[in-house]
Amino acid sequence: MLNFSRWAVAGILLPLLIGILCAVPSFLPDNVVQKLPQSLQTRVNLGLDLSGGSHLLLEASTQDVARQRLTNMEEQVRTELRRGGERIAIGDISSRDGKLSFMVRNPAQVDAAVERIRPLTQGAGLTGQRDFNVEVVNSSTIVITPTDAGIDNAVKGAMEVATEVIRKRIDEMGTREPTIQQQGSNRIVVQVPGLQDPKALKDLLGQTAKLEFKLVDTTANPSEAVQGRAPVGSEVLPYPDNPSGVPVIAVKRQVMVSGEELTDATQGFDQNNQAIVNIRFNGSGGRKFGQVTSQNVNRPFAIILDGKVLSAPNINEPILGGSAQISGNFTVESANQLAIALRSGKLPVALTVVEERTVGPQLGADSIRAGLLASLIAVVAVAAFMFVSYGRFGIYANLAVTINVLVILGVMGMLGATLTLPGIAGFVLTIGTAVDANVLIYERIREERRRGRGVVQAIEFGYKEASRTIFEANVTHAIAGGIMLALGSGPVKGFAIVLLIGIATSVFTAVTFTRLLAARWLRAKRPTEIHI
Amino acid sequence: MKLLKLVPDNTNIGFVKLRHWAFALTALLTVLAVGATAYRGLNLGVDFVGGLMIEAKFDQPPKLDQVRSTIDRLGVGDGSLQQFGDPRTVQIRLPLPEQGGAGAANAVVEKARNAMSAQFPGVTFSRYDTVSGKVSGELIRNGVLAVMLAVIGIAVFSWFRYEWQFGVSTFVAIMHDVLMALGFFAVTQLEFDLNIVAAVLTIVGYSINDKMVIDDRIRENMRKYRKMDMKSLIDLSVNETLPRTVMTSVTIMLALGALLLFGGHVLRGFTAAMMLGIIVGTYSSVYVSSSLLITLGLTPQMGERKGGKSGLAAQAERVGPRDDGARP
């Protein structure tokens, strides 16, 4: 064990050196690090509990997605069967229990109806399953059932779009370095460091921003509308700011133009200095809007956001330029928020905040200070204790621990891992356990010396025998750490990352590196007695 | 220079002889811990029960009654207050509004902030968490699952690596450590949150580490001294590893002590749990898990069967145990 070849020495020292160098950027101020090339910016990210900021967990309702799909399907079926040479009359259409069912009036047309509905379904998943099953029951009723694969697919698609929309919205807010990640099948984690008041963010993310323009049904009787009854082809929608005092309004079901045909939205003011949102339609949207407004001069239309009517202005003249304004009871802030939401597109599914954690920057800074102080004191205390217990070998162990701490930081920087407050606790614990390997080795050397072995042989035996134990002990530790990483959330994960990296690096520094130091000393001095 | 030795050379304590006392004490403590947990319950944090937690920092130490009446006047449900860390910091817990989701929780925070600012100028909310019931249910499930998996996983590992007796004795000792930690939180009513789950897992990892070292030595001695009876062999192994056991516990306690005193209030519960775990874990390694091997019927001859690991120990010349008195 005393002979380390030149290559072995290089093989031990080089990785340690790289690890230490990677730790350096974490200690440099921001402006210096930004000048470094990207690949050298190996910095440990600070978790929200240290930097301050907000963590939000958003959840989409899968039932919501399923319901929407069914509504779309109903829409498609109606259009398809009404279209073309052979119209198929249907009735009793209902979407209950997550299924869509309807009756074909003329039993002779059932097969033709199925023929025409089938192409509306799509393949889902790899097994050749369709996203909807189409069946005929009681010879005249057609039942369309969404398959699980179909729903999964739809949820997946909706989540991808939702993640993208959220990213756009947060970018528009101008916050720095947000993390937006999908988690599980229907959740999105949003982390925004440095954000002090997440209220605006949550309001923004809580909006689906589904914008529609529909004509107001002026034939409807307001007293019936209050009871939720509307003429055929119309529906009753809430209208909280209705000047007439009735909180609802009846509008035509048919959509004039929807928010999907917007190209831009900005906050502005109208002639009364009231905050509004200016919108601009794309080509086809502008044409449609122009057409409908020309045909309905002097009639009101409703501006509907997320199923609620914002305002119902009168069409004074045809609006042909492809731009319009959305008026409503806005403040400058809420108008600006709506503009951002409209620009980034509508969320395909409504999201609710199921978990929120916000840490003020002051507490974060206090935590860092306290964590650093505690780590420093821990290192000094452990180092002093190791020195009085093992003398020269204690110094080797201390050197190893110091390098270990730097290498852990370096590895975390390379992996882009995040340091959290529990992570700092993980550090302190690693300092404690890393010396355990050295304690095992040194105690074994003491034992072997007592049994009468020579210096060199005792050291050799100490390292070899203790290495096995150290390996086993670390495997068990790693099992616990791995489980924490897999099952833990937030703080537990941050702790597990440091623990796992620490296990890997500490075996190397505490065993291999100290062995190299001990071997060099033995070769140089050839002692006949050791103080250990 | 004279080096420090916490455990003198040739220490030979008859741990095995004490095992019936140790088992009785362990059983008693475990029953007490389980009883305390069942009777008093754990002070579960918002992570596990859902709700709203606000940590408010005041300019001057506030009167808790005043803070309480301010919160009660909001009419947002039963609040509970706790001084946290220094006297200027108060933790306020409120139930999550039943309806309205995120917006409603926000409104509660805003309401509380306004009311508190009016009463106590200069107050700031240094952090707040809101966790919905659904998420908290998952967190609790994952937490319990993580601890159980860790304990079982490690027990299975030591069963495959050695004889089944080692797996069982480790399992029993670890369960004892975990239950003691729970009992500690039940008695002190310190808040039990996600961080504490990490602490419990670490206790499991650490305690295992301790047992592994002793088990490994028992295995080694089983191969070395085939004729020695199990009681002396286990005493020998525990005593041989005692200096290491004590040294390591002391270094880790030093590190944790620094964390407890200087690491800030957020980590205090975490550190306290870990310190207790180290003490309990060390105790169960030395007094319980190794002696349990005898009760479980481990004999030195068993070392032969799984003798896959040759290595130095197997080839080593038979150097006698350092204390001949330990031989039968």
Side-chain angles (χ1 to χ4, degrees), chain A residues 59 187 198 202 353-358 360 370 377 385 388 391 425 428-429 436 443-444 446-447 450-451 465 468-469 472-473 476-477 483-484 489 491 495, chain B residues 4-5 9 47 102 106 126-130 132 134 138-139 146 150 161-162 195 201-202 208-209 212 216-217 220 224 240 243-244 248 251 255 262 270:
Chain A
E59 188 178 79
R187 286 181 178 168
K202 281 197 290 187
V353 178
V354 285
E355 186 186 351
E356 180 198 343
R357 292 168 197 277
T358 296
I377 292 173
F385 185 62
V388 297
V428 174
L429 195 76
D436 176 46
E443 289 298 336
R444 187 70 190 218
R446 277 182 179 178
E447 251 178 77
R450 276 201 299 269
R451 288 183 189 166
E465 284 297 301
R468 191 191 63 234
T469 319
E472 260 152 40
T476 51
H477 237 129
I483 288 170
M484 276 192 249
S489 50
F495 179 74
Chain B
L4 178 74
K5 276 186 188 164
D9 290 350
D47 291 344
N106 247 351
S126 44
R127 79 180 158 131
Y128 61 87
D129 295 348
T130 61
S132 76
K134 192 172 168 196
E138 285 167 28
L139 290 176
R161 200 89 173 91
Y162 310 108
N195 285 343
L201 281 167
T202 315
I208 276 296
N209 189 344
M212 233 30 167
D216 202 58
R217 184 56 72 96
E220 189 186 323
K224 256 193 207 164
E240 277 180 351
R244 175 267 160 194
T248 298
T251 47
F262 307 103
F270 179 86

Coordinates of all heavy atoms in Angstrom, one line a residue, chain A residues 59 187 198 202 353-358 360 370 377 385 388 391 425 428-429 436 443-444 446-447 450-451 465 468-469 472-473 476-477 483-484 489 491 495, chain B residues 4-5 9 47 102 106 126-130 132 134 138-139 146 150 161-162 195 201-202 208-209 212 216-217 220 224 240 243-244 248 251 255 262 270:
Chain A
E59 N -52.1 22.6 -9.6 CA -52.7 21.3 -10.0 C -53.8 21.6 -11.0 O -54.6 22.5 -10.8 CB -53.2 20.6 -8.8 CG -53.6 19.2 -9.1 CD -54.1 18.5 -7.9 OE1 -55.3 18.7 -7.5 OE2 -53.3 17.7 -7.3
R187 N -49.4 18.2 -12.4 CA -49.0 19.3 -11.6 C -47.8 20.1 -12.2 O -47.0 19.5 -13.0 CB -48.5 18.8 -10.2 CG -49.7 18.3 -9.4 CD -49.3 17.9 -8.1 NE -50.5 17.5 -7.3 CZ -50.4 16.9 -6.2 NH1 -49.3 16.5 -5.7 NH2 -51.5 16.6 -5.6
P198 N -46.1 37.1 -3.8 CA -46.5 36.2 -4.9 C -48.0 36.4 -5.3 O -48.5 35.7 -6.1 CB -46.3 34.8 -4.3 CG -46.5 35.0 -2.9 CD -46.1 36.4 -2.5
K202 N -49.8 34.7 -8.4 CA -50.9 33.7 -8.3 C -52.2 34.2 -9.0 O -52.8 33.4 -9.6 CB -51.2 33.5 -6.8 CG -50.2 32.6 -6.2 CD -50.7 32.1 -4.9 CE -50.7 33.1 -3.8 NZ -51.1 32.6 -2.5
V353 N -53.7 26.5 -7.0 CA -52.5 26.4 -6.2 C -52.8 25.4 -5.0 O -53.7 25.7 -4.2 CB -52.2 27.8 -5.6 CG1 -50.9 27.7 -4.7 CG2 -51.9 28.8 -6.7
V354 N -52.1 24.3 -4.9 CA -52.3 23.4 -3.9 C -51.3 23.5 -2.8 O -51.4 22.9 -1.7 CB -52.4 21.9 -4.4 CG1 -53.8 21.7 -5.1 CG2 -51.3 21.6 -5.3
E355 N -50.2 24.2 -3.1 CA -49.2 24.3 -2.1 C -48.4 25.6 -2.3 O -48.1 25.9 -3.5 CB -48.2 23.1 -2.1 CG -47.2 23.1 -1.0 CD -46.1 22.0 -1.2 OE1 -46.4 21.1 -2.1 OE2 -45.1 22.0 -0.5
E356 N -48.1 26.3 -1.3 CA -47.4 27.6 -1.5 C -46.4 27.8 -0.4 O -46.8 27.6 0.8 CB -48.3 28.8 -1.6 CG -47.5 30.0 -1.8 CD -48.3 31.3 -1.5 OE1 -49.5 31.2 -1.4 OE2 -47.7 32.3 -1.3
R357 N -45.2 28.1 -0.7 CA -44.2 28.4 0.4 C -43.5 29.7 0.0 O -42.9 29.8 -1.1 CB -43.2 27.3 0.6 CG -43.8 26.1 1.1 CD -43.0 24.9 1.0 NE -43.7 23.7 1.2 CZ -44.1 23.2 2.4 NH1 -43.7 23.8 3.5 NH2 -44.8 22.1 2.5
T358 N -43.6 30.7 0.8 CA -42.9 31.9 0.5 C -42.0 32.3 1.7 O -42.3 32.2 2.8 CB -43.9 33.1 0.4 OG1 -44.7 32.7 -0.8 CG2 -43.3 34.4 0.1
G360 N -39.3 35.3 3.0 CA -38.8 36.6 2.8 C -37.3 36.7 2.7 O -36.7 35.8 3.2
A370 N -26.5 32.1 9.5 CA -26.5 31.1 10.6 C -25.9 29.8 10.1 O -25.1 29.1 10.8 CB -27.9 30.9 11.1
I377 N -18.2 26.6 12.7 CA -17.9 26.1 14.1 C -17.8 24.6 14.2 O -16.9 24.0 14.9 CB -19.0 26.7 15.1 CG1 -18.8 28.2 15.2 CG2 -18.9 26.1 16.4 CD1 -19.9 28.9 15.9
F385 N -11.0 18.3 17.8 CA -11.1 17.1 18.4 C -10.3 15.9 17.8 O -9.7 15.1 18.4 CB -12.6 16.7 18.5 CG -13.0 15.5 19.2 CD1 -12.7 15.4 20.6 CD2 -13.6 14.4 18.6 CE1 -13.0 14.3 21.3 CE2 -13.9 13.3 19.3 CZ -13.6 13.2 20.6
V388 N -6.6 16.4 18.7 CA -6.1 16.0 20.0 C -6.2 14.4 20.1 O -5.6 13.8 20.9 CB -6.9 16.6 21.2 CG1 -6.6 18.1 21.2 CG2 -8.3 16.4 21.1
G391 N -3.5 13.2 16.6 CA -2.2 13.9 16.2 C -2.1 14.1 14.7 O -3.0 14.6 14.0
A425 N -27.7 21.6 6.8 CA -27.7 20.6 7.8 C -27.0 19.3 7.3 O -26.3 18.7 8.1 CB -29.1 20.3 8.3
V428 N -23.3 19.8 7.5 CA -22.8 19.7 8.9 C -22.7 18.2 9.3 O -21.8 17.7 9.9 CB -23.7 20.5 9.9 CG1 -23.2 20.3 11.3 CG2 -23.6 22.0 9.5
L429 N -23.8 17.5 8.9 CA -23.8 16.0 9.3 C -22.7 15.3 8.5 O -22.1 14.4 9.0 CB -25.2 15.5 8.9 CG -25.4 14.1 9.6 CD1 -25.7 14.3 11.0 CD2 -26.5 13.4 8.9
D436 N -15.9 9.8 10.4 CA -16.2 8.4 10.9 C -15.3 7.4 10.2 O -14.8 6.5 10.8 CB -17.7 8.1 10.8 CG -18.0 6.6 11.2 OD1 -17.5 6.3 12.3 OD2 -18.6 5.9 10.5
E443 N -8.8 3.8 14.6 CA -9.0 2.9 15.7 C -8.5 1.5 15.4 O -7.9 0.8 16.2 CB -10.5 2.9 16.1 CG -11.0 4.1 16.8 CD -10.3 4.5 18.1 OE1 -9.7 3.5 18.7 OE2 -10.2 5.7 18.5
R444 N -8.7 1.1 14.1 CA -8.2 -0.2 13.7 C -6.7 -0.2 13.8 O -6.1 -1.2 14.2 CB -8.7 -0.5 12.3 CG -8.4 -1.8 11.8 CD -9.3 -2.8 12.6 NE -8.9 -4.2 12.3 CZ -9.7 -5.2 12.2 NH1 -11.0 -5.0 12.3 NH2 -9.3 -6.4 12.0
R446 N -4.8 1.5 15.8 CA -4.4 1.4 17.2 C -4.5 0.0 17.7 O -3.6 -0.5 18.3 CB -5.4 2.3 18.0 CG -5.0 3.7 18.1 CD -6.1 4.4 19.0 NE -5.8 5.9 19.1 CZ -6.5 6.7 19.8 NH1 -7.6 6.3 20.4 NH2 -6.2 8.0 19.9
E447 N -5.6 -0.6 17.3 CA -5.8 -2.0 17.7 C -4.7 -2.9 17.2 O -4.2 -3.8 17.9 CB -7.1 -2.5 17.1 CG -8.2 -2.7 18.0 CD -9.5 -3.2 17.3 OE1 -9.5 -4.4 16.9 OE2 -10.4 -2.4 17.0
R450 N -1.6 -2.5 19.1 CA -1.7 -3.2 20.4 C -1.4 -4.7 20.3 O -0.9 -5.3 21.2 CB -3.0 -2.9 21.0 CG -3.1 -1.6 21.8 CD -4.2 -1.6 22.8 NE -5.5 -1.9 22.1 CZ -6.3 -0.9 21.7 NH1 -5.9 0.4 21.8 NH2 -7.4 -1.1 21.1
R451 N -1.9 -5.2 19.2 CA -1.7 -6.7 19.0 C -0.3 -7.0 18.6 O 0.0 -8.1 18.3 CB -2.6 -7.2 17.9 CG -4.1 -7.2 18.4 CD -4.9 -7.8 17.4 NE -6.3 -7.6 17.8 CZ -7.4 -7.7 17.0 NH1 -7.1 -8.1 15.7 NH2 -8.5 -7.5 17.4
E465 N -8.8 -3.4 6.4 CA -9.9 -4.0 7.1 C -11.1 -3.0 7.3 O -12.2 -3.3 7.2 CB -9.5 -4.4 8.5 CG -8.7 -5.7 8.5 CD -9.6 -6.9 8.0 OE1 -10.6 -7.2 8.7 OE2 -9.2 -7.5 7.0
R468 N -13.5 -2.2 4.2 CA -14.7 -3.1 4.0 C -15.9 -2.6 4.8 O -17.0 -2.4 4.3 CB -14.4 -4.5 4.4 CG -15.4 -5.5 3.9 CD -15.2 -6.8 4.5 NE -15.3 -6.8 6.0 CZ -14.3 -7.2 6.8 NH1 -13.2 -7.7 6.4 NH2 -14.5 -7.1 8.1
T469 N -15.6 -2.3 6.1 CA -16.7 -1.8 7.0 C -17.2 -0.5 6.5 O -18.4 -0.3 6.4 CB -16.1 -1.6 8.4 OG1 -15.3 -2.7 8.7 CG2 -17.2 -1.5 9.4
E472 N -19.5 -0.9 3.6 CA -20.9 -1.4 3.9 C -21.7 -0.4 4.6 O -22.9 -0.2 4.3 CB -20.7 -2.6 4.9 CG -20.9 -3.9 4.2 CD -20.1 -5.1 4.8 OE1 -20.1 -5.1 6.0 OE2 -19.6 -5.9 4.0
A473 N -21.1 0.3 5.5 CA -21.8 1.4 6.2 C -22.3 2.4 5.3 O -23.4 2.9 5.4 CB -20.9 2.0 7.3
T476 N -25.4 1.4 3.3 CA -26.7 1.5 4.0 C -27.1 2.9 4.1 O -28.3 3.3 3.9 CB -26.6 0.9 5.4 OG1 -25.4 1.5 6.0 CG2 -26.4 -0.6 5.4
H477 N -26.2 3.8 4.3 CA -26.4 5.2 4.3 C -27.0 5.7 3.0 O -28.0 6.5 2.9 CB -25.2 6.0 4.6 CG -25.2 6.9 5.8 ND1 -24.3 6.8 6.8 CD2 -26.1 7.8 6.2 CE1 -24.6 7.7 7.7 NE2 -25.7 8.3 7.3
I483 N -33.7 6.7 -0.9 CA -35.1 6.7 -0.7 C -35.6 8.1 -0.4 O -36.7 8.6 -0.9 CB -35.5 5.8 0.5 CG1 -35.3 4.3 0.0 CG2 -36.9 6.0 1.0 CD1 -35.3 3.3 1.1
M484 N -34.8 8.9 0.3 CA -35.2 10.3 0.6 C -35.3 11.1 -0.7 O -36.2 11.9 -0.9 CB -34.1 11.0 1.4 CG -34.3 10.8 2.9 SD -33.3 11.9 3.8 CE -32.1 10.8 4.5
S489 N -40.0 15.3 -0.7 CA -40.3 16.5 -1.5 C -39.6 17.7 -0.9 O -39.3 17.6 0.3 CB -41.8 16.7 -1.6 OG -42.3 16.7 -0.3
P491 N -37.8 20.1 1.1 CA -36.7 20.1 2.0 C -35.9 18.7 2.1 O -34.7 18.7 2.2 CB -37.3 20.5 3.4 CG -38.7 20.3 3.2 CD -39.0 20.4 1.7
F495 N -31.8 17.9 1.3 CA -31.0 17.3 2.3 C -30.4 16.0 1.7 O -29.2 15.8 1.9 CB -31.9 16.9 3.5 CG -31.2 16.2 4.6 CD1 -30.3 16.9 5.5 CD2 -31.4 14.9 4.8 CE1 -29.6 16.2 6.5 CE2 -30.7 14.2 5.9 CZ -29.9 14.9 6.7
Chain B
L4 N -5.5 12.0 23.1 CA -6.7 11.8 23.8 C -7.3 10.4 23.5 O -7.5 10.1 22.3 CB -7.7 12.9 23.5 CG -9.1 12.8 24.1 CD1 -9.0 13.2 25.6 CD2 -10.1 13.7 23.4
K5 N -7.6 9.7 24.5 CA -8.3 8.4 24.3 C -9.6 8.4 25.2 O -9.5 8.3 26.4 CB -7.4 7.2 24.6 CG -6.5 6.9 23.5 CD -5.8 5.6 23.8 CE -4.7 5.4 22.6 NZ -3.7 4.4 23.0
D9 N -7.6 1.7 26.7 CA -7.2 0.4 26.0 C -7.7 -0.7 26.9 O -7.8 -0.5 28.1 CB -5.7 0.3 25.9 CG -5.2 1.3 24.8 OD1 -6.0 1.9 24.1 OD2 -4.0 1.5 24.8
D47 N -47.4 21.0 6.8 CA -47.0 20.1 5.8 C -47.9 18.8 5.8 O -48.2 18.3 4.8 CB -45.5 19.6 6.0 CG -44.5 20.7 5.8 OD1 -44.9 21.7 5.1 OD2 -43.4 20.6 6.2
A102 N -56.8 29.0 -3.9 CA -55.7 29.8 -3.7 C -56.0 31.2 -3.4 O -55.4 31.8 -2.5 CB -54.8 29.7 -5.0
N106 N -54.8 33.4 -0.1 CA -54.2 34.7 -0.3 C -54.8 35.8 0.5 O -54.2 36.6 1.2 CB -54.3 35.1 -1.7 CG -53.0 35.1 -2.4 OD1 -52.0 34.9 -1.7 ND2 -53.0 35.2 -3.7
S126 N -42.0 36.9 7.7 CA -40.7 36.5 7.1 C -40.9 35.2 6.3 O -40.1 34.9 5.4 CB -39.7 36.3 8.2 OG -40.2 35.6 9.3
R127 N -42.0 34.5 6.5 CA -42.3 33.4 5.6 C -43.7 32.9 5.8 O -44.2 33.1 6.9 CB -41.3 32.2 5.7 CG -41.5 31.3 6.8 CD -40.5 30.2 6.9 NE -40.4 29.7 8.2 CZ -40.5 28.4 8.5 NH1 -40.5 27.5 7.5 NH2 -40.5 28.0 9.7
Y128 N -44.3 32.4 4.8 CA -45.6 31.7 5.1 C -45.8 30.6 4.1 O -45.3 30.6 3.0 CB -46.8 32.7 5.0 CG -47.0 33.4 3.8 CD1 -47.7 32.9 2.7 CD2 -46.4 34.7 3.6 CE1 -48.0 33.6 1.6 CE2 -46.6 35.4 2.4 CZ -47.4 34.8 1.4 OH -47.6 35.5 0.2
D129 N -46.4 29.5 4.6 CA -46.7 28.3 3.8 C -48.2 28.1 3.8 O -48.8 28.3 4.8 CB -46.1 27.1 4.4 CG -44.6 27.2 4.5 OD1 -44.0 28.0 3.8 OD2 -44.0 26.3 5.2
T130 N -48.7 27.7 2.6 CA -50.1 27.2 2.6 C -50.0 25.8 1.9 O -49.4 25.7 0.9 CB -51.1 28.1 1.9 OG1 -50.6 28.2 0.5 CG2 -51.1 29.4 2.4
S132 N -52.5 22.6 0.9 CA -53.9 22.1 0.8 C -54.0 20.7 1.4 O -53.0 20.0 1.5 CB -54.4 22.0 -0.6 OG -53.8 20.9 -1.3
K134 N -55.1 18.0 0.3 CA -54.7 16.9 -0.7 C -53.2 16.7 -0.7 O -52.7 15.5 -0.5 CB -55.2 17.3 -2.1 CG -55.2 16.1 -3.0 CD -55.8 16.5 -4.3 CE -55.5 15.4 -5.4 NZ -55.8 15.9 -6.7
E138 N -50.6 13.5 0.7 CA -49.6 12.8 0.0 C -48.3 12.9 0.7 O -47.5 12.0 0.7 CB -49.5 13.5 -1.4 CG -50.6 13.1 -2.3 CD -50.6 14.0 -3.6 OE1 -49.5 14.5 -3.9 OE2 -51.7 14.2 -4.1
L139 N -48.0 14.1 1.3 CA -46.7 14.3 2.0 C -46.6 13.3 3.1 O -45.5 12.7 3.4 CB -46.6 15.7 2.5 CG -46.4 16.8 1.4 CD1 -46.3 18.2 1.9 CD2 -45.1 16.5 0.6
A146 N -41.4 6.5 3.1 CA -39.9 6.6 3.0 C -39.3 6.0 4.2 O -38.3 5.2 4.0 CB -39.6 8.1 2.9
A150 N -36.9 2.7 4.1 CA -35.5 2.8 4.4 C -35.2 1.7 5.5 O -34.2 1.0 5.4 CB -35.3 4.1 5.0
R161 N -26.4 -9.8 3.3 CA -24.9 -9.6 3.5 C -24.4 -10.6 4.6 O -23.4 -11.2 4.5 CB -24.6 -8.2 3.9 CG -23.2 -7.8 3.7 CD -23.0 -7.2 2.3 NE -21.7 -6.6 2.2 CZ -20.7 -7.3 1.8 NH1 -20.8 -8.5 1.4 NH2 -19.5 -6.7 1.7
Y162 N -25.2 -10.8 5.6 CA -24.9 -11.7 6.7 C -26.0 -12.8 6.9 O -26.6 -13.1 5.9 CB -24.7 -10.9 8.0 CG -23.9 -9.7 7.9 CD1 -24.4 -8.4 7.9 CD2 -22.5 -9.8 7.8 CE1 -23.6 -7.3 7.8 CE2 -21.7 -8.7 7.7 CZ -22.2 -7.4 7.7 OH -21.5 -6.3 7.6
N195 N -39.1 18.5 7.5 CA -37.7 18.4 7.9 C -37.4 17.3 8.8 O -36.4 16.7 8.8 CB -37.3 19.7 8.5 CG -37.1 20.8 7.5 OD1 -37.0 20.6 6.3 ND2 -37.1 22.1 8.0
L201 N -35.0 9.9 8.9 CA -34.3 9.1 7.9 C -32.8 9.1 8.2 O -32.1 8.1 8.0 CB -34.6 9.5 6.5 CG -36.0 9.1 6.0 CD1 -36.3 9.8 4.7 CD2 -35.9 7.6 5.7
T202 N -32.3 10.2 8.6 CA -30.9 10.3 8.9 C -30.5 9.5 10.1 O -29.5 8.8 10.2 CB -30.4 11.7 9.1 OG1 -31.0 12.5 8.1 CG2 -29.0 11.9 9.1
I208 N -28.0 2.6 11.6 CA -27.6 1.5 10.8 C -26.1 1.4 10.7 O -25.5 0.3 10.8 CB -28.2 1.6 9.4 CG1 -29.6 1.2 9.5 CG2 -27.5 0.9 8.4 CD1 -29.7 -0.3 9.8
N209 N -25.5 2.5 10.3 CA -24.1 2.6 10.2 C -23.4 2.0 11.4 O -22.4 1.2 11.3 CB -23.8 4.1 10.0 CG -22.4 4.4 9.6 OD1 -21.5 3.5 9.7 ND2 -22.1 5.6 9.2
M212 N -23.9 -1.7 11.6 CA -23.1 -2.3 10.6 C -21.6 -2.5 11.0 O -21.0 -3.6 10.8 CB -23.1 -1.4 9.4 CG -23.5 -2.0 8.1 SD -24.7 -3.2 8.3 CE -25.2 -3.4 6.7
D216 N -20.2 -6.2 11.5 CA -19.0 -6.5 10.7 C -17.9 -7.1 11.5 O -17.3 -8.1 11.2 CB -18.5 -5.3 9.9 CG -17.8 -5.6 8.7 OD1 -18.3 -6.3 7.8 OD2 -16.6 -5.2 8.6
R217 N -17.7 -6.5 12.7 CA -16.7 -7.0 13.6 C -17.1 -8.4 14.1 O -16.2 -9.3 14.3 CB -16.4 -6.0 14.7 CG -15.3 -6.4 15.6 CD -14.0 -6.6 14.8 NE -13.4 -5.4 14.3 CZ -12.5 -4.7 15.0 NH1 -12.0 -5.1 16.1 NH2 -12.0 -3.6 14.5
E220 N -16.3 -10.9 11.5 CA -14.9 -11.1 11.4 C -14.4 -12.0 12.5 O -13.6 -13.0 12.3 CB -14.2 -9.7 11.5 CG -12.7 -9.8 11.1 CD -12.1 -8.4 11.3 OE1 -12.7 -7.4 11.0 OE2 -10.9 -8.4 11.8
K224 N -12.6 -15.7 12.9 CA -11.3 -15.8 13.6 C -11.3 -16.8 14.7 O -10.4 -17.6 14.8 CB -10.9 -14.5 14.1 CG -9.9 -13.7 13.3 CD -9.4 -12.5 14.1 CE -8.9 -11.4 13.3 NZ -8.8 -10.2 14.1
E240 N -14.2 -4.1 21.3 CA -13.2 -3.7 20.3 C -13.6 -2.5 19.5 O -12.8 -1.6 19.1 CB -12.9 -4.9 19.3 CG -11.9 -5.9 19.9 CD -11.7 -7.0 18.9 OE1 -12.4 -7.1 17.9 OE2 -10.8 -7.8 19.1
P243 N -14.2 2.1 21.1 CA -13.6 3.4 20.9 C -14.1 4.2 19.7 O -14.4 5.4 19.8 CB -12.1 3.1 20.7 CG -11.9 1.7 21.3 CD -13.3 1.0 21.2
R244 N -14.3 3.4 18.6 CA -14.8 4.0 17.4 C -16.2 4.5 17.6 O -16.6 5.7 17.2 CB -14.7 3.0 16.3 CG -15.4 3.5 15.0 CD -16.8 3.1 14.9 NE -17.5 3.9 13.9 CZ -18.9 3.9 13.9 NH1 -19.6 3.1 14.7 NH2 -19.5 4.6 13.0
T248 N -17.0 8.5 17.2 CA -17.8 9.0 16.1 C -19.0 9.7 16.7 O -19.4 10.8 16.2 CB -18.3 7.8 15.2 OG1 -17.1 7.3 14.6 CG2 -19.2 8.3 14.1
T251 N -17.9 13.2 17.8 CA -17.7 14.1 16.7 C -19.0 14.6 16.1 O -19.2 15.8 15.8 CB -16.8 13.6 15.5 OG1 -17.3 12.3 15.2 CG2 -15.4 13.5 15.9
A255 N -20.6 18.4 15.9 CA -21.1 19.1 14.7 C -22.6 19.5 14.9 O -22.9 20.7 14.6 CB -21.0 18.2 13.5
F262 N -26.0 27.6 16.8 CA -25.8 28.7 15.9 C -26.5 28.6 14.5 O -26.4 29.5 13.7 CB -24.2 28.8 15.6 CG -23.4 28.9 16.8 CD1 -22.7 27.8 17.3 CD2 -23.4 30.1 17.5 CE1 -21.9 27.9 18.4 CE2 -22.6 30.2 18.7 CZ -21.9 29.1 19.1
F270 N -35.1 20.0 13.8 CA -34.4 19.1 13.0 C -33.2 18.6 13.8 O -32.9 17.4 13.9 CB -34.0 19.8 11.7 CG -33.2 19.0 10.8 CD1 -33.9 18.1 9.8 CD2 -31.8 19.1 10.7 CE1 -33.1 17.4 8.9 CE2 -31.1 18.4 9.8 CZ -31.7 17.5 8.9

